[in-house]
Amino acid sequence: LKYEQEEIGVFTRQEMIDVFADRPGVWGDLQGYTVFLLAARCGMRRSEVLALVWGQLDLNDGSIYVDRAFTDNGLPKNDKLRSTLMTSQCIDALKELQQTSSWVSPDHYVFSSRTGTPRGFTWWKKRFQSAMVRAKLMQREGGKFINPRRLEPHSFRHSLNTLLRGA
């Protein structure tokens, strides 16, 4: 059985700026803002950003060591460990999040519930959809989301790559 998979949409440069212009803005809270800011500005995948622990961050030099993910083997895609740089916007948001969190030891998840458990894929999807409705990039009719541009959280990664290639 063969099927054609539709390509996910990409954000415009202005949309990439607008959805993160205010903290927390359309994201509703600091965790939602920061988790998607890292996806958008650092190109991190969902499995990588949700598995992020404070010990992977160097907020002084602005780097993230991506060495884990919520995958079958616990490693990033293709088992490729890497370091990535953060923008000052990411660093500022992470510092604020760290100041307001009860879970800040090196082995604690950056994006966690009140009990310290990591945020999951359902939380990620719901946060994204709600924010996109508030940003007027999606619509909600009843319990269904209308997404004609096929914007997904992974669209941030595609959008970043598109913008960087055009720079």
Side-chain angles (χ1 to χ4, degrees):
L1 185 67
K2 191 175 181 180
Y3 69 94
E4 192 172 308
Q5 185 175 358
E6 293 184 16
E7 278 191 40
I8 66 169
V10 294
F11 292 93
T12 67
R13 178 182 179 85
Q14 193 60 50
E15 288 167 344
M16 291 276 283
I17 293 167
D18 290 348
V19 296
F20 297 106
D22 299 314
R23 187 168 58 221
V26 298
W27 302 100
D29 66 25
L30 189 57
Q31 270 199 33
Y33 173 89
T34 308
V35 76
F36 288 104
L37 182 67
L38 290 177
R41 301 291 190 262
C42 301
M44 293 181 72
R45 294 175 178 90
R46 172 186 68 177
S47 61
E48 297 166 346
V49 76
L50 291 177
L52 195 64
V53 295
W54 289 107
Q56 291 174 263
L57 303 174
D58 187 329
L59 297 177
N60 294 319
D61 79 358
S63 65
I64 302 172
Y65 185 57
V66 183
D67 65 346
R68 68 185 73 204
F70 288 138
T71 57
D72 289 341
N73 67 358
L75 296 173
K77 187 174 181 178
N78 299 322
D79 301 342
K80 293 190 178 179
L81 312 183
R82 68 186 187 285
S83 288
T84 187
L85 296 176
M86 293 183 277
T87 64
S88 59
Q89 188 180 20
C90 291
I91 295 167
D92 291 346
L94 284 163
K95 285 181 178 178
E96 185 178 342
L97 186 63
Q98 190 176 45
Q99 290 171 355
T100 61
S101 178
S102 301
W103 304 96
V104 294
S105 293
D107 61 336
H108 288 157
Y109 291 102
V110 174
F111 304 104
S112 62
S113 69
R114 289 186 190 129
T115 61
T117 58
R119 296 292 187 183
F121 295 161
T122 301
W123 176 87
W124 168 272
K125 183 178 179 178
K126 287 180 179 179
R127 283 295 161 104
F128 178 80
Q129 290 173 328
S130 295
M132 293 302 98
V133 168
R134 286 191 287 273
K136 298 184 177 15
L137 296 173
M138 272 188 206
Q139 297 171 351
R140 185 175 185 156
E141 292 180 9
K144 189 174 182 179
F145 289 93
I146 310 301
N147 186 5
R149 290 182 47 207
R150 297 180 308 278
L151 294 172
E152 301 292 336
H154 199 72
S155 296
F156 286 127
R157 185 174 171 81
H158 286 234
S159 302
L160 178 64
N161 287 331
T162 299
L163 290 171
L164 290 174
R165 280 190 310 216

